Amino acid sequence: MALMTANEYVESLRKLNTRVYMFGEKIDNWVDHPMIRPSINCVAMTYALAQDPQYAELMTVKSSLTGKTVNRFTHLHQSTEDLINKVKMQRLLGQKTASCFQRCVGMDAFNAVYSSTYEIDEKHGTHYHENFKKFLTFVQDNDLTVDGAMTDPKGDRSKAPSQQADPDMYVHVVERREDGIVVSGAKCHQTGSINSHWHIFMPTIAMGEADRDWAVSFACPTDAEGMYMIYGRQSCDTRKLEENADIDVGNAKFGGQEALVVLDHVFIPNEYIFLNGEYEFAGMIVERFAGYHRQSYGGCKVGVGDVVIGAAALAAEYNGVEKASAVKDKLIEMTHLNETLYCCGIACSSQGFKTKAGNYQIDLLLANVCKQNVTRFPYEIVRLAEDIAGGLMVTMPSQKDFDSDTVVGRNGETIGEICNKFFAAREGVSTEDRQRIMRFLENMCLGAAAVGYRTESMHGAGSPQAQRIMIARQGNIQGKKQFAKDIAGIQ
Ligand code: SF4
Ligand code: FE
């Protein structure tokens, strides 16, 4: 099968028996649900841009497994150029959606599991790498979206998986059979889980011998028997349920998605298993996946940042203040911060190296520095955007008021006319355009999209402390001491 079109992707989701729950109920037609659909449109964009000749070079690539043209989101990086193109592709998608487009978690899982399974087999004589290659060929041939599922609920954080009062706090093997394993547990805040055709499950922390049953990685279809999702709600999400609320929603076309994914005794056939008890490799998968996803943020968040900066500049223009030096300087600062993140994404890619399995890995130190900056700079960019936009982005009446015919004025003016009169700004700019940009900024800074641009910048791909641990490990303080000793003449 060739690359899917955006529409074929959306239709392919309907064929799955994915079990989705929201507001305490099962949602049967979740594909058309107004709260879910924007997140599907977002993933669909990864298919649409791959069909666009203008972006074909960035979005598509020759498969290292089959030689066929595949979507870059299913690709194993073959060079530092591939790693750089990945970041560029993510920036492009961020610019086109102003949201989390979700498909990267699978791409990052592919690359982490591909190289790790090679090394597991090398030590243990297992055949996880062959399993994985077969699985990825199937994914590439069918142009599938795959969720990379890592974050377990974790229960009592001071205890290892095997010490938890409830063993389900980490995904684990409950039964080993001749033909496969049965697994239970859950993964929290899974990006794009419902919009994926398949899932790759991976451990979330390094493990010891006692955690053998929790050291497990495998692929399974999103509608596997025993698997279901409970939708994560977002700030202001029910605005999407209101009639004619496209302006109030802020970004009515696109959005991100997270869900709680539950595995209740799901059977995994042998051919889809990539780790099963080789506990000393759990940490390797975590480190590699996290490294790739920390690189990813130097692309996707930068693309979204581009849109935030553009929206702030438009807000200033509509208010007639775009020539004020203070506004110009704020836009410079926002650009400086955003491009610094991009520098990190490009740097960790250009310093990448070949793994034993043959695909390319990013520079871990620089990728962690990248993500550490992402835990800060988008917050500052958003602060400056709010500064430029002014309070109206959170105090403006609803679209229903702007549309209202109810008479309120002594000369028969309607609520709509009054709103349009008092929220007009610069001449030649429609009040509606001003409304649109204010609501868009509200959405980006503290509405539904702030999930992706703010809190996800903090905690996605690992919380700040996780990067600091990696920076400590990779920072080579001993080597730096030696530099100082050599020059200072200390033996
Ligand atoms: Fe991709 Fe960014 Fe979303 Fe992660 S947060 S899935 S890198 S868009
Ligand atoms: Fe993320």
Side-chain angles (χ1 to χ4, degrees):
M1 187 175 153
L3 296 173
M4 267 200 262
T5 64
N7 194 45
E8 281 166 350
Y9 160 69
V10 175
E11 292 310 308
S12 71
L13 295 177
R14 296 186 199 281
K15 293 183 193 129
L16 301 174
N17 180 30
T18 308
R19 297 163 201 91
V20 180
Y21 295 85
M22 187 199 280
F23 297 135
E25 285 171 12
K26 186 157 190 284
I27 309 291
D28 289 323
N29 180 10
W30 54 270
V31 174
D32 297 312
H33 193 286
M35 272 172 59
I36 302 179
R37 188 52 184 261
S39 73
I40 297 173
N41 296 341
C42 223
V43 182
M45 195 54 116
T46 70
Y47 290 90
L49 293 183
Q51 304 273 336
D52 186 333
Q54 196 186 336
Y55 303 116
E57 211 174 308
L58 199 55
M59 297 297 305
T60 61
V61 62
K62 207 161 126 187
S63 165
S64 58
L65 297 174
T66 64
K68 295 181 207 159
T69 299
V70 296
N71 191 302
R72 191 178 291 281
F73 278 96
T74 65
H75 183 50
L76 296 167
H77 316 300
Q78 297 299 305
S79 61
T80 53
E81 198 194 343
D82 266 355
L83 290 169
I84 291 170
N85 280 334
K86 170 198 162 183
V87 171
K88 289 185 176 172
M89 170 180 77
Q90 288 168 311
R91 184 171 188 170
L92 172 71
L93 262 303
Q95 291 167 342
K96 297 286 187 193
T97 61
S99 303
C100 164
F101 36 89
Q102 308 148 53
R103 206 174 169 188
C104 333
V105 276
M107 166 175 55
D108 292 342
F110 299 148
N111 279 277
V113 175
Y114 181 79
S115 63
S116 301
T117 48
Y118 184 91
E119 293 176 43
I120 303 166
D121 288 356
E122 201 180 47
K123 179 168 175 204
H124 289 278
T126 41
H127 28 255
Y128 300 140
H129 193 61
E130 274 313 307
N131 287 355
F132 186 75
K133 279 205 302 203
K134 248 170 80 188
F135 171 67
L136 189 60
T137 304
F138 160 74
V139 168
Q140 290 184 342
D141 285 350
N142 292 283
D143 199 12
L144 300 179
T145 291
V146 177
D147 182 31
M150 180 163 277
T151 312
D152 294 271
K154 298 199 281 282
D156 181 341
R157 271 61 173 170
S158 71
K159 292 182 171 158
S162 53
Q163 296 166 336
Q164 298 289 328
D166 181 349
D168 289 346
M169 285 301 153
Y170 289 81
V171 168
H172 62 118
V173 180
V174 289
E175 191 192 337
R176 289 198 164 81
R177 291 170 25 181
E178 190 83 341
D179 52 347
I181 53 175
V182 178
V183 292
S184 277
K187 295 285 183 183
C188 295
H189 25 86
Q190 283 314 297
T191 294
S193 161
I194 291 158
N195 300 341
S196 300
H197 304 100
W198 277 68
H199 278 60
I200 292 180
F201 286 83
M202 297 165 285
T204 200
I205 52 167
M207 293 186 187
E209 199 175 347
D211 305 317
R212 202 177 274 277
D213 287 345
W214 287 264
V216 62
S217 175
F218 53 88
C220 79
T222 297
D223 59 356
E225 192 63 42
M227 184 161 161
Y228 57 91
M229 287 97 180
I230 304 173
Y231 207 79
R233 71 174 311 179
Q234 301 172 333
S235 160
C236 309
D237 52 7
T238 45
R239 283 193 196 182
K240 292 175 187 154
L241 301 176
E242 295 171 16
E243 254 176 65
N244 296 329
D246 76 301
I247 294 180
D248 285 355
V249 167
N251 180 354
K253 287 186 199 148
F254 303 109
Q257 171 193 98
E258 267 81 23
L260 172 72
V261 180
V262 182
L263 300 167
D264 182 1
H265 292 80
V266 176
F267 174 68
I268 309 296
N270 283 330
E271 59 185 303
Y272 296 118
I273 299 174
F274 313 132
L275 177 79
N276 182 13
E278 297 79 6
Y279 60 90
E280 75 278 24
F281 283 95
M284 177 188 280
I285 296 176
V286 176
E287 200 171 274
R288 291 185 182 180
F289 172 79
Y292 283 122
H293 212 55
R294 289 168 195 173
Q295 167 210 25
S296 287
Y297 278 37
C300 76
K301 301 299 179 227
V302 180
V304 177
D306 287 328
V307 191
V308 174
I309 296 168
L314 281 172
E317 186 187 315
Y318 294 171
N319 283 339
V321 296
E322 88 267 31
K323 294 210 173 75
S325 62
V327 169
K328 280 195 209 157
D329 195 56
K330 281 167 192 156
L331 292 170
I332 292 168
E333 179 63 12
M334 292 163 88
T335 305
H336 161 71
L337 292 168
N338 204 41
E339 298 301 335
T340 304
L341 298 180
Y342 189 53
C343 291
C344 294
I346 295 295
C348 70
S349 306
S350 71
Q351 296 302 296
F353 59 93
K354 198 175 186 170
T355 66
K356 279 187 178 178
N359 63 335
Y360 269 65
Q361 169 90 33
I362 39 74
D363 180 281
L364 268 183
L365 174 61
L366 297 185
N368 278 278
V369 169
C370 176
K371 174 65 211 318
Q372 182 79 177
N373 284 336
V374 172
T375 66
R376 299 172 186 168
F377 297 178
Y379 283 81
E380 182 61 11
I381 291 171
V382 155
R383 192 184 74 77
L384 290 165
E386 290 190 24
D387 181 350
I388 292 173
L392 189 61
M393 60 179 260
V394 293
T395 63
M396 201 169 29
S398 71
Q399 181 55 34
K400 279 207 175 93
D401 293 306
F402 279 86
D403 292 340
S404 172
D405 291 332
T406 304
V407 173
V408 280
R410 90 170 50 213
N411 295 319
E413 300 95 334
T414 64
I415 294 177
E417 284 164 347
I418 291 298
C419 284
N420 275 293
K421 170 184 161 82
F422 287 113
F423 293 115
R426 185 183 176 164
E427 227 178 300
V429 174
S430 74
T431 312
E432 184 185 311
D433 285 351
R434 190 166 179 236
Q435 246 184 302
R436 284 189 182 276
I437 215 65
M438 290 294 166
R439 287 294 181 211
F440 178 76
L441 279 167
E442 179 196 33
N443 174 257
M444 293 306 305
C445 299
L446 41 88
V451 176
Y453 194 56
R454 285 181 48 150
T455 315
E456 190 175 42
S457 287
M458 181 68 80
H459 293 294
S463 304
Q465 196 55 31
Q467 289 111 56
R468 300 184 80 77
I469 292 166
M470 287 303 293
I471 290 169
R473 251 193 246 161
Q474 307 270 328
N476 189 20
I477 297 293
Q478 285 310 325
K480 291 180 167 80
K481 279 187 194 167
Q482 196 57 48
F483 292 139
K485 278 184 177 173
D486 290 348
I487 295 172
I490 299 168
Q491 294 298 312

